[in-house]
Amino acid sequence: MGPGPSDVHPRILSAMARSTIGHLDPAFIGMMEEVKEMLKYAFKTENELTMPISAPGSAGMEACFANLVEPGDKVIVCINGVFGGRMKENVHRLGGEAVVVEDDWGSAVSIDKVERALIDNPDAKIVAFVHAETSTGAISDAKALCQIANQYGCINIVDAVTSLAGSELRVDDWGIDAIYSGSQKCLSAMPGLSPVSFSDRAIEKLTSRKTPVTSWFLDLNLVMGYWGKGAKRAYHHTAPVNTLYGLHESLVMLREEGVENSWNRHQQNHILLRYGLNNLGIDYLVDEADRLPQLNSVLIPQDQDDLEVRSSLMKNFNIDIGAGLGPLEGKIWRIGLMGYTSRKDNIELLLSALKNTL
Ligand SMILES: *Cc1c(COP(=O)(O)O)cnc(C)c1O
């Protein structure tokens, strides 16, 4: 019940235990097509370039930046937690110029500050932000942020590692250009895959680059030779076959549940947890309107020792909750209700364990 990986459903575990077949096997190629179609469903997009990168969420982040940022490009990077900081680091390493818009850890990204940065930097090309900040438990208004970026002629890069399947997310309706997620959060599959999706505008920026993408492995021009529609399925790298079985099964399950129902389940279980925590006298870090249902960051009660409580939960109840990061270390706990972990019985167990421990 931490910030991920979430519990993996037994159906997904058994899908992963099936025999490993070749990554060029026709049966496997058929499964790849299904994975792409189901990812489009999960992202709510018709983007042709929608597929999983063969590496964790951080690689999806790097794929978006490495393909879209050229040396000298000005990128507005919103930082309200750990992951925005990593976006800035990506921009720097690619020779881009990061214009940072900062908000407090625990707050949503301020639309007004982003608009100010866009006015002050008319040469900016990209706006990058984290939809669901797992380090703080705050959600930002992705729809409004993309709208404002588009209005000022910028494309956008969106981190949806924790939001996909857990919070409302509409890639096409909201005008998202490049988005990356992870397999191990609200999709409840094994860690190690990063679904990404690129709009036509993002592909245009990619194909009009003056310089080659500096990463060979993440160069989408090459990756698409294996994953692309009508591609020759040329060998690029050995796909993580069994991990993809797992993602496939998790997407089948998402489709069975319905993605909107999955958003609702995360919200309902968040309310249930919040009610129980409030009864124990535990408050949230984030304002009610900006709270992530799948990552509950709560203030550690004054009279409690962070490490002692977490160790006791682990030792006595086999429950893992997350610690605070950076400036929030020792101040908050991060309780994850992601994917298969987002269940009533887990909440009841945690609440009684916490009551006992405190
Ligand atoms: C977990 C996470 C990542 C990184 O994903 P990994 O799979 O750990 O590489 C990036 N961004 C956010 C918001 C995350 O929660």
Side-chain angles (χ1 to χ4, degrees), residues 3-4 55-61 83 86 130-135 159-163 180-185 191-194 338:
S58 305
M61 175 187 282
F83 295 101
R86 291 187 178 182
V130 178
H131 185 206
E133 243 308 346
T134 325
S135 63
D159 178 322
V161 176
T162 283
S163 57
Y180 59 92
S181 189
S183 47
Q184 80 278 25
K185 299 204 175 161
L193 291 171
S194 178
M338 298 180 180

PDB file of all heavy atoms in Angstrom, residues 3-4 55-61 83 86 130-135 159-163 180-185 191-194 338, ligand 1:
ATOM      1  N   PRO A   3       3.597   3.777  -2.696  1.00  0.00           N
ATOM      2  CA  PRO A   3       3.463   4.520  -3.957  1.00  0.00           C
ATOM      3  C   PRO A   3       3.720   3.671  -5.202  1.00  0.00           C
ATOM      4  O   PRO A   3       4.002   4.221  -6.263  1.00  0.00           O
ATOM      5  CB  PRO A   3       4.520   5.617  -3.800  1.00  0.00           C
ATOM      6  CG  PRO A   3       5.534   5.046  -2.873  1.00  0.00           C
ATOM      7  CD  PRO A   3       4.812   4.130  -1.949  1.00  0.00           C
ATOM      8  N   GLY A   4       3.641   2.390  -5.102  1.00  0.00           N
ATOM      9  CA  GLY A   4       3.882   1.491  -6.228  1.00  0.00           C
ATOM     10  C   GLY A   4       5.215   0.781  -6.041  1.00  0.00           C
ATOM     11  O   GLY A   4       6.106   1.338  -5.414  1.00  0.00           O
ATOM     12  N   ALA A  55      10.760  -0.764 -20.646  1.00  0.00           N
ATOM     13  CA  ALA A  55      11.526  -0.308 -19.471  1.00  0.00           C
ATOM     14  C   ALA A  55      10.545   0.451 -18.581  1.00  0.00           C
ATOM     15  O   ALA A  55       9.445   0.784 -19.028  1.00  0.00           O
ATOM     16  CB  ALA A  55      12.677   0.596 -19.920  1.00  0.00           C
ATOM     17  N   PRO A  56      10.933   0.733 -17.328  1.00  0.00           N
ATOM     18  CA  PRO A  56       9.961   1.357 -16.413  1.00  0.00           C
ATOM     19  C   PRO A  56       9.575   2.785 -16.764  1.00  0.00           C
ATOM     20  O   PRO A  56      10.086   3.356 -17.732  1.00  0.00           O
ATOM     21  CB  PRO A  56      10.677   1.301 -15.067  1.00  0.00           C
ATOM     22  CG  PRO A  56      12.104   1.174 -15.381  1.00  0.00           C
ATOM     23  CD  PRO A  56      12.187   0.430 -16.663  1.00  0.00           C
ATOM     24  N   GLY A  57       8.666   3.350 -15.966  1.00  0.00           N
ATOM     25  CA  GLY A  57       8.128   4.682 -16.229  1.00  0.00           C
ATOM     26  C   GLY A  57       9.186   5.738 -16.514  1.00  0.00           C
ATOM     27  O   GLY A  57       8.991   6.603 -17.378  1.00  0.00           O
ATOM     28  N   SER A  58      10.304   5.665 -15.819  1.00  0.00           N
ATOM     29  CA  SER A  58      11.375   6.645 -16.026  1.00  0.00           C
ATOM     30  C   SER A  58      11.860   6.629 -17.469  1.00  0.00           C
ATOM     31  O   SER A  58      12.274   7.657 -18.008  1.00  0.00           O
ATOM     32  CB  SER A  58      12.553   6.354 -15.101  1.00  0.00           C
ATOM     33  OG  SER A  58      12.123   6.309 -13.771  1.00  0.00           O
ATOM     34  N   ALA A  59      11.821   5.464 -18.096  1.00  0.00           N
ATOM     35  CA  ALA A  59      12.249   5.365 -19.494  1.00  0.00           C
ATOM     36  C   ALA A  59      11.209   5.987 -20.419  1.00  0.00           C
ATOM     37  O   ALA A  59      11.551   6.553 -21.468  1.00  0.00           O
ATOM     38  CB  ALA A  59      12.506   3.917 -19.875  1.00  0.00           C
ATOM     39  N   GLY A  60       9.943   5.901 -20.033  1.00  0.00           N
ATOM     40  CA  GLY A  60       8.895   6.573 -20.806  1.00  0.00           C
ATOM     41  C   GLY A  60       9.100   8.076 -20.738  1.00  0.00           C
ATOM     42  O   GLY A  60       8.943   8.791 -21.732  1.00  0.00           O
ATOM     43  N   MET A  61       9.432   8.559 -19.530  1.00  0.00           N
ATOM     44  CA  MET A  61       9.743   9.976 -19.368  1.00  0.00           C
ATOM     45  C   MET A  61      10.896  10.350 -20.304  1.00  0.00           C
ATOM     46  O   MET A  61      10.808  11.283 -21.095  1.00  0.00           O
ATOM     47  CB  MET A  61      10.157  10.258 -17.910  1.00  0.00           C
ATOM     48  CG  MET A  61      10.630  11.678 -17.650  1.00  0.00           C
ATOM     49  SD  MET A  61      11.297  11.955 -15.970  1.00  0.00           S
ATOM     50  CE  MET A  61       9.834  12.080 -14.965  1.00  0.00           C
ATOM     51  N   PHE A  83       8.994  14.348  -9.283  1.00  0.00           N
ATOM     52  CA  PHE A  83       9.067  13.948 -10.690  1.00  0.00           C
ATOM     53  C   PHE A  83       9.212  15.120 -11.648  1.00  0.00           C
ATOM     54  O   PHE A  83       9.836  14.987 -12.698  1.00  0.00           O
ATOM     55  CB  PHE A  83       7.910  13.012 -11.020  1.00  0.00           C
ATOM     56  CG  PHE A  83       8.032  11.720 -10.260  1.00  0.00           C
ATOM     57  CD1 PHE A  83       7.279  11.480  -9.113  1.00  0.00           C
ATOM     58  CD2 PHE A  83       8.963  10.768 -10.638  1.00  0.00           C
ATOM     59  CE1 PHE A  83       7.438  10.308  -8.380  1.00  0.00           C
ATOM     60  CE2 PHE A  83       9.140   9.600  -9.913  1.00  0.00           C
ATOM     61  CZ  PHE A  83       8.364   9.367  -8.779  1.00  0.00           C
ATOM     62  N   ARG A  86      12.806  15.735 -12.049  1.00  0.00           N
ATOM     63  CA  ARG A  86      13.458  14.829 -12.998  1.00  0.00           C
ATOM     64  C   ARG A  86      13.236  15.282 -14.446  1.00  0.00           C
ATOM     65  O   ARG A  86      14.074  15.071 -15.307  1.00  0.00           O
ATOM     66  CB  ARG A  86      12.919  13.412 -12.826  1.00  0.00           C
ATOM     67  CG  ARG A  86      13.341  12.790 -11.517  1.00  0.00           C
ATOM     68  CD  ARG A  86      12.915  11.348 -11.485  1.00  0.00           C
ATOM     69  NE  ARG A  86      13.359  10.711 -10.253  1.00  0.00           N
ATOM     70  CZ  ARG A  86      13.142   9.425  -9.991  1.00  0.00           C
ATOM     71  NH1 ARG A  86      12.506   8.666 -10.851  1.00  0.00           N
ATOM     72  NH2 ARG A  86      13.578   8.907  -8.870  1.00  0.00           N
ATOM     73  N   VAL A 130       3.553  17.076 -14.417  1.00  0.00           N
ATOM     74  CA  VAL A 130       3.160  15.777 -13.879  1.00  0.00           C
ATOM     75  C   VAL A 130       1.673  15.845 -13.520  1.00  0.00           C
ATOM     76  O   VAL A 130       1.263  16.715 -12.753  1.00  0.00           O
ATOM     77  CB  VAL A 130       4.000  15.441 -12.622  1.00  0.00           C
ATOM     78  CG1 VAL A 130       3.564  14.106 -12.020  1.00  0.00           C
ATOM     79  CG2 VAL A 130       5.489  15.428 -12.955  1.00  0.00           C
ATOM     80  N   HIS A 131       0.893  14.949 -14.094  1.00  0.00           N
ATOM     81  CA  HIS A 131      -0.549  14.947 -13.825  1.00  0.00           C
ATOM     82  C   HIS A 131      -0.815  14.559 -12.369  1.00  0.00           C
ATOM     83  O   HIS A 131      -1.519  15.280 -11.658  1.00  0.00           O
ATOM     84  CB  HIS A 131      -1.244  13.973 -14.791  1.00  0.00           C
ATOM     85  CG  HIS A 131      -2.735  13.969 -14.706  1.00  0.00           C
ATOM     86  ND1 HIS A 131      -3.485  12.886 -15.063  1.00  0.00           N
ATOM     87  CD2 HIS A 131      -3.616  14.905 -14.295  1.00  0.00           C
ATOM     88  CE1 HIS A 131      -4.768  13.171 -14.894  1.00  0.00           C
ATOM     89  NE2 HIS A 131      -4.873  14.386 -14.428  1.00  0.00           N
ATOM     90  N   ALA A 132      -0.249  13.437 -11.946  1.00  0.00           N
ATOM     91  CA  ALA A 132      -0.460  12.954 -10.573  1.00  0.00           C
ATOM     92  C   ALA A 132       0.900  12.833  -9.898  1.00  0.00           C
ATOM     93  O   ALA A 132       1.673  11.931 -10.228  1.00  0.00           O
ATOM     94  CB  ALA A 132      -1.169  11.603 -10.604  1.00  0.00           C
ATOM     95  N   GLU A 133       1.200  13.779  -8.983  1.00  0.00           N
ATOM     96  CA  GLU A 133       2.512  13.770  -8.307  1.00  0.00           C
ATOM     97  C   GLU A 133       2.502  12.740  -7.181  1.00  0.00           C
ATOM     98  O   GLU A 133       1.968  12.972  -6.104  1.00  0.00           O
ATOM     99  CB  GLU A 133       2.861  15.160  -7.759  1.00  0.00           C
ATOM    100  CG  GLU A 133       4.087  15.818  -8.348  1.00  0.00           C
ATOM    101  CD  GLU A 133       5.412  15.040  -8.365  1.00  0.00           C
ATOM    102  OE1 GLU A 133       5.536  14.004  -7.680  1.00  0.00           O
ATOM    103  OE2 GLU A 133       6.327  15.490  -9.074  1.00  0.00           O
ATOM    104  N   THR A 134       3.118  11.617  -7.426  1.00  0.00           N
ATOM    105  CA  THR A 134       3.132  10.519  -6.466  1.00  0.00           C
ATOM    106  C   THR A 134       3.946  10.864  -5.222  1.00  0.00           C
ATOM    107  O   THR A 134       3.763  10.277  -4.165  1.00  0.00           O
ATOM    108  CB  THR A 134       3.723   9.265  -7.134  1.00  0.00           C
ATOM    109  OG1 THR A 134       3.313   9.256  -8.500  1.00  0.00           O
ATOM    110  CG2 THR A 134       3.246   8.008  -6.470  1.00  0.00           C
ATOM    111  N   SER A 135       4.858  11.824  -5.343  1.00  0.00           N
ATOM    112  CA  SER A 135       5.687  12.170  -4.183  1.00  0.00           C
ATOM    113  C   SER A 135       4.921  13.020  -3.173  1.00  0.00           C
ATOM    114  O   SER A 135       5.315  13.107  -2.020  1.00  0.00           O
ATOM    115  CB  SER A 135       6.951  12.904  -4.639  1.00  0.00           C
ATOM    116  OG  SER A 135       6.625  14.131  -5.258  1.00  0.00           O
ATOM    117  N   ASP A 159       3.250  13.568 -17.587  1.00  0.00           N
ATOM    118  CA  ASP A 159       3.567  12.374 -16.800  1.00  0.00           C
ATOM    119  C   ASP A 159       2.260  11.833 -16.234  1.00  0.00           C
ATOM    120  O   ASP A 159       1.613  12.488 -15.417  1.00  0.00           O
ATOM    121  CB  ASP A 159       4.540  12.741 -15.668  1.00  0.00           C
ATOM    122  CG  ASP A 159       4.888  11.553 -14.764  1.00  0.00           C
ATOM    123  OD1 ASP A 159       3.999  10.728 -14.482  1.00  0.00           O
ATOM    124  OD2 ASP A 159       6.050  11.477 -14.322  1.00  0.00           O
ATOM    125  N   ALA A 160       1.884  10.637 -16.705  1.00  0.00           N
ATOM    126  CA  ALA A 160       0.642  10.005 -16.218  1.00  0.00           C
ATOM    127  C   ALA A 160       0.961   8.654 -15.598  1.00  0.00           C
ATOM    128  O   ALA A 160       0.158   7.725 -15.651  1.00  0.00           O
ATOM    129  CB  ALA A 160      -0.354   9.861 -17.360  1.00  0.00           C
ATOM    130  N   VAL A 161       2.147   8.551 -14.992  1.00  0.00           N
ATOM    131  CA  VAL A 161       2.563   7.247 -14.468  1.00  0.00           C
ATOM    132  C   VAL A 161       1.563   6.773 -13.411  1.00  0.00           C
ATOM    133  O   VAL A 161       1.127   5.628 -13.429  1.00  0.00           O
ATOM    134  CB  VAL A 161       4.001   7.293 -13.907  1.00  0.00           C
ATOM    135  CG1 VAL A 161       4.374   5.949 -13.279  1.00  0.00           C
ATOM    136  CG2 VAL A 161       5.001   7.628 -15.013  1.00  0.00           C
ATOM    137  N   THR A 162       1.177   7.671 -12.509  1.00  0.00           N
ATOM    138  CA  THR A 162       0.259   7.270 -11.446  1.00  0.00           C
ATOM    139  C   THR A 162      -1.203   7.536 -11.795  1.00  0.00           C
ATOM    140  O   THR A 162      -2.099   6.948 -11.206  1.00  0.00           O
ATOM    141  CB  THR A 162       0.665   7.977 -10.129  1.00  0.00           C
ATOM    142  OG1 THR A 162       1.806   7.296  -9.614  1.00  0.00           O
ATOM    143  CG2 THR A 162      -0.421   7.950  -9.079  1.00  0.00           C
ATOM    144  N   SER A 163      -1.473   8.390 -12.775  1.00  0.00           N
ATOM    145  CA  SER A 163      -2.885   8.701 -13.048  1.00  0.00           C
ATOM    146  C   SER A 163      -3.566   7.685 -13.957  1.00  0.00           C
ATOM    147  O   SER A 163      -4.768   7.435 -13.797  1.00  0.00           O
ATOM    148  CB  SER A 163      -3.032  10.118 -13.617  1.00  0.00           C
ATOM    149  OG  SER A 163      -2.280  10.304 -14.781  1.00  0.00           O
ATOM    150  N   TYR A 180       3.376   9.616 -20.961  1.00  0.00           N
ATOM    151  CA  TYR A 180       3.985   8.338 -20.566  1.00  0.00           C
ATOM    152  C   TYR A 180       3.372   7.881 -19.261  1.00  0.00           C
ATOM    153  O   TYR A 180       2.922   8.679 -18.451  1.00  0.00           O
ATOM    154  CB  TYR A 180       5.505   8.446 -20.450  1.00  0.00           C
ATOM    155  CG  TYR A 180       5.994   9.486 -19.453  1.00  0.00           C
ATOM    156  CD1 TYR A 180       6.270   9.157 -18.131  1.00  0.00           C
ATOM    157  CD2 TYR A 180       6.189  10.812 -19.850  1.00  0.00           C
ATOM    158  CE1 TYR A 180       6.721  10.105 -17.224  1.00  0.00           C
ATOM    159  CE2 TYR A 180       6.641  11.772 -18.946  1.00  0.00           C
ATOM    160  CZ  TYR A 180       6.900  11.412 -17.636  1.00  0.00           C
ATOM    161  OH  TYR A 180       7.338  12.360 -16.739  1.00  0.00           O
ATOM    162  N   SER A 181       3.341   6.549 -19.075  1.00  0.00           N
ATOM    163  CA  SER A 181       2.797   5.994 -17.845  1.00  0.00           C
ATOM    164  C   SER A 181       3.668   4.827 -17.400  1.00  0.00           C
ATOM    165  O   SER A 181       4.796   4.660 -17.888  1.00  0.00           O
ATOM    166  CB  SER A 181       1.338   5.590 -18.043  1.00  0.00           C
ATOM    167  OG  SER A 181       0.766   5.248 -16.798  1.00  0.00           O
ATOM    168  N   GLY A 182       3.164   4.039 -16.460  1.00  0.00           N
ATOM    169  CA  GLY A 182       3.914   2.893 -15.954  1.00  0.00           C
ATOM    170  C   GLY A 182       2.981   1.721 -15.754  1.00  0.00           C
ATOM    171  O   GLY A 182       1.779   1.893 -15.549  1.00  0.00           O
ATOM    172  N   SER A 183       3.540   0.524 -15.805  1.00  0.00           N
ATOM    173  CA  SER A 183       2.702  -0.676 -15.722  1.00  0.00           C
ATOM    174  C   SER A 183       2.337  -1.043 -14.287  1.00  0.00           C
ATOM    175  O   SER A 183       1.375  -1.767 -14.060  1.00  0.00           O
ATOM    176  CB  SER A 183       3.445  -1.855 -16.378  1.00  0.00           C
ATOM    177  OG  SER A 183       4.796  -1.909 -15.924  1.00  0.00           O
ATOM    178  N   GLN A 184       3.091  -0.533 -13.307  1.00  0.00           N
ATOM    179  CA  GLN A 184       2.997  -1.076 -11.938  1.00  0.00           C
ATOM    180  C   GLN A 184       2.200  -0.219 -10.970  1.00  0.00           C
ATOM    181  O   GLN A 184       2.211  -0.460  -9.784  1.00  0.00           O
ATOM    182  CB  GLN A 184       4.411  -1.287 -11.383  1.00  0.00           C
ATOM    183  CG  GLN A 184       5.102  -0.031 -10.842  1.00  0.00           C
ATOM    184  CD  GLN A 184       5.746   0.837 -11.910  1.00  0.00           C
ATOM    185  OE1 GLN A 184       5.353   0.805 -13.047  1.00  0.00           O
ATOM    186  NE2 GLN A 184       6.730   1.621 -11.531  1.00  0.00           N
ATOM    187  N   LYS A 185       1.494   0.796 -11.462  1.00  0.00           N
ATOM    188  CA  LYS A 185       0.733   1.613 -10.535  1.00  0.00           C
ATOM    189  C   LYS A 185      -0.751   1.257 -10.665  1.00  0.00           C
ATOM    190  O   LYS A 185      -1.137   0.196 -10.229  1.00  0.00           O
ATOM    191  CB  LYS A 185       1.107   3.069 -10.731  1.00  0.00           C
ATOM    192  CG  LYS A 185       2.635   3.186 -10.414  1.00  0.00           C
ATOM    193  CD  LYS A 185       3.177   4.470 -10.007  1.00  0.00           C
ATOM    194  CE  LYS A 185       4.648   4.270  -9.636  1.00  0.00           C
ATOM    195  NZ  LYS A 185       5.446   5.474  -9.628  1.00  0.00           N
ATOM    196  N   PRO A 191       6.231  -4.244 -12.596  1.00  0.00           N
ATOM    197  CA  PRO A 191       7.044  -3.088 -12.987  1.00  0.00           C
ATOM    198  C   PRO A 191       7.846  -3.426 -14.245  1.00  0.00           C
ATOM    199  O   PRO A 191       8.124  -4.591 -14.496  1.00  0.00           O
ATOM    200  CB  PRO A 191       8.008  -2.893 -11.807  1.00  0.00           C
ATOM    201  CG  PRO A 191       7.483  -3.709 -10.696  1.00  0.00           C
ATOM    202  CD  PRO A 191       6.616  -4.776 -11.283  1.00  0.00           C
ATOM    203  N   GLY A 192       8.188  -2.415 -15.026  1.00  0.00           N
ATOM    204  CA  GLY A 192       9.108  -2.668 -16.136  1.00  0.00           C
ATOM    205  C   GLY A 192       8.615  -2.293 -17.514  1.00  0.00           C
ATOM    206  O   GLY A 192       9.324  -2.499 -18.493  1.00  0.00           O
ATOM    207  N   LEU A 193       7.389  -1.741 -17.599  1.00  0.00           N
ATOM    208  CA  LEU A 193       6.928  -1.282 -18.910  1.00  0.00           C
ATOM    209  C   LEU A 193       6.378   0.137 -18.777  1.00  0.00           C
ATOM    210  O   LEU A 193       5.823   0.492 -17.742  1.00  0.00           O
ATOM    211  CB  LEU A 193       5.826  -2.192 -19.459  1.00  0.00           C
ATOM    212  CG  LEU A 193       6.262  -3.597 -19.873  1.00  0.00           C
ATOM    213  CD1 LEU A 193       5.042  -4.454 -20.176  1.00  0.00           C
ATOM    214  CD2 LEU A 193       7.194  -3.548 -21.083  1.00  0.00           C
ATOM    215  N   SER A 194       6.528   0.905 -19.821  1.00  0.00           N
ATOM    216  CA  SER A 194       6.049   2.280 -19.798  1.00  0.00           C
ATOM    217  C   SER A 194       5.227   2.594 -21.041  1.00  0.00           C
ATOM    218  O   SER A 194       5.766   2.881 -22.110  1.00  0.00           O
ATOM    219  CB  SER A 194       7.239   3.243 -19.706  1.00  0.00           C
ATOM    220  OG  SER A 194       6.776   4.577 -19.730  1.00  0.00           O
ATOM    221  N   MET A 338      -3.755   1.780  -5.293  1.00  0.00           N
ATOM    222  CA  MET A 338      -3.603   1.749  -6.738  1.00  0.00           C
ATOM    223  C   MET A 338      -4.007   0.391  -7.292  1.00  0.00           C
ATOM    224  O   MET A 338      -3.592  -0.646  -6.773  1.00  0.00           O
ATOM    225  CB  MET A 338      -2.131   1.984  -7.109  1.00  0.00           C
ATOM    226  CG  MET A 338      -1.574   3.318  -6.683  1.00  0.00           C
ATOM    227  SD  MET A 338       0.155   3.430  -7.201  1.00  0.00           S
ATOM    228  CE  MET A 338       0.563   5.057  -6.576  1.00  0.00           C
TER     229      MET A 338
HETATM  230  C1  LIG B   1       6.620   5.953 -10.331  1.00  0.00           C
HETATM  231  C2  LIG B   1       6.673   7.235 -11.083  1.00  0.00           C
HETATM  232  C3  LIG B   1       7.622   7.474 -12.089  1.00  0.00           C
HETATM  233  C4  LIG B   1       8.737   6.533 -12.396  1.00  0.00           C
HETATM  234  O1  LIG B   1       8.350   5.278 -12.775  1.00  0.00           O
HETATM  235  P1  LIG B   1       9.357   4.044 -12.624  1.00  0.00           P
HETATM  236  O2  LIG B   1       8.575   2.900 -13.164  1.00  0.00           O
HETATM  237  O3  LIG B   1       9.675   3.945 -11.162  1.00  0.00           O
HETATM  238  O4  LIG B   1      10.571   4.350 -13.422  1.00  0.00           O
HETATM  239  C5  LIG B   1       7.538   8.666 -12.792  1.00  0.00           C
HETATM  240  N1  LIG B   1       6.601   9.587 -12.515  1.00  0.00           N
HETATM  241  C6  LIG B   1       5.685   9.405 -11.540  1.00  0.00           C
HETATM  242  C7  LIG B   1       4.658  10.454 -11.285  1.00  0.00           C
HETATM  243  C8  LIG B   1       5.707   8.221 -10.801  1.00  0.00           C
HETATM  244  O5  LIG B   1       4.800   8.040  -9.831  1.00  0.00           O
END
